[in-house]
Amino acid sequence: MSNDRPKIGEIERVEVRFVRNIEHLHEQQIFLVMRDKLEPHSLEESHLATSPFSKLRFRVAHSDSALALMVDAEPQEGMSGALDVVLQLRSLERDCQLSYDSRQGVSEGSEACHESLLPCSFSSQQHPDLAGSRLWRIVLLPLGECALVSGKRAEFSLAVSGEYEGLLRGEFYFV
């Protein structure tokens, strides 16, 4: 009997789609592209040991100079608040690593934050008209020297929520 399924906290491979100049779009446009054009990947029970959400998914894209990550959650009844994200990325072809932690107070809530050279994020709290009943956060991470092109791979780890009950690890494959 083969036991090739990912263990809790692991995922095999996630394709990262190319979206030209995503970092130059307005926040609402980035939200719509991420929500409507990219395949969601589940972060639910099959990958996390526990979760405060009834549904938890992520979507990921890249341009020539940035990585965009959207985490989308349906909170369990009675839960409210912010959706925190911690992302670490390590190139398998280059000797470089990037990380982002939404709890560190980087640029947030600025319409122009995505045009800067600094990591930034925006969320359902800043855009309640887009939120509905869901919590979401979009992170834009400049790739800088770690610019990854089609056919390249990077290991990632992703933690979601203020309680960090689970940590997802896997491999991004840039297409």
Side-chain angles (χ1 to χ4, degrees), residues 19 22-38 57 59 61 68-73 83 111 114 122-140:
V19 176
I22 193 166
E23 68 277 11
H24 296 294
L25 299 175
H26 292 286
E27 291 177 359
Q28 291 88 346
Q29 293 171 317
I30 295 170
F31 171 82
L32 293 172
V33 166
M34 300 289 289
R35 184 192 70 187
D36 298 339
K37 303 293 183 185
L38 299 173
R57 299 176 296 197
R59 295 167 169 88
L69 172 79
M70 177 182 185
V71 176
D72 165 25
L83 188 65
E111 275 294 320
H114 56 276
F122 51 96
S123 68
S124 52
Q125 290 184 316
Q126 282 115 356
H127 297 282
D129 54 319
L130 297 174
S133 64
R134 290 180 140 20
L135 295 174
W136 57 266
R137 179 176 296 277
I138 294 177
V139 172
L140 289 170

Side-chain angles (χ1 to χ4, degrees), residues 3-22:
N3 195 6
D4 292 339
R5 291 184 44 200
K7 297 175 187 165
I8 288 178
E10 294 180 4
I11 193 167
E12 292 174 358
R13 184 173 95 164
V14 174
E15 287 188 351
V16 181
R17 297 282 174 197
F18 182 79
V19 176
R20 186 174 312 282
N21 297 322
I22 193 166

Side-chain angles (χ1 to χ4, degrees), residues 14-158:
V14 174
E15 287 188 351
V16 181
R17 297 282 174 197
F18 182 79
V19 176
R20 186 174 312 282
N21 297 322
I22 193 166
E23 68 277 11
H24 296 294
L25 299 175
H26 292 286
E27 291 177 359
Q28 291 88 346
Q29 293 171 317
I30 295 170
F31 171 82
L32 293 172
V33 166
M34 300 289 289
R35 184 192 70 187
D36 298 339
K37 303 293 183 185
L38 299 173
E39 176 185 357
H41 302 281
S42 176
L43 282 170
E44 295 173 16
E45 292 175 19
S46 61
H47 301 300
L48 297 177
T50 61
S51 174
F53 307 106
S54 58
K55 282 191 178 180
L56 182 60
R57 299 176 296 197
F58 74 98
R59 295 167 169 88
V60 63
H62 75 99
S63 68
D64 290 327
S65 59
L67 179 84
L69 172 79
M70 177 182 185
V71 176
D72 165 25
E74 224 173 80
Q76 291 181 3
E77 198 166 318
M79 184 192 161
S80 64
L83 188 65
D84 290 321
V85 173
V86 176
L87 174 67
Q88 293 184 341
L89 190 67
R90 186 178 68 81
S91 172
L92 294 174
E93 283 86 9
R94 297 180 180 195
D95 185 25
C96 61
Q97 183 171 328
L98 300 170
S99 62
Y100 172 82
D101 186 338
S102 65
R103 301 168 300 166
Q104 297 298 319
V106 297
S107 300
E108 185 171 313
S110 164
E111 275 294 320
C113 81
H114 56 276
E115 294 177 10
S116 71
L117 297 175
L118 301 173
C120 67
S121 75
F122 51 96
S123 68
S124 52
Q125 290 184 316
Q126 282 115 356
H127 297 282
D129 54 319
L130 297 174
S133 64
R134 290 180 140 20
L135 295 174
W136 57 266
R137 179 176 296 277
I138 294 177
V139 172
L140 289 170
L141 189 61
L143 294 172
E145 297 173 3
C146 279
L148 298 159
V149 295
S150 290
K152 300 299 180 187
R153 301 172 304 142
E155 291 178 338
F156 75 92
S157 67
L158 175 63

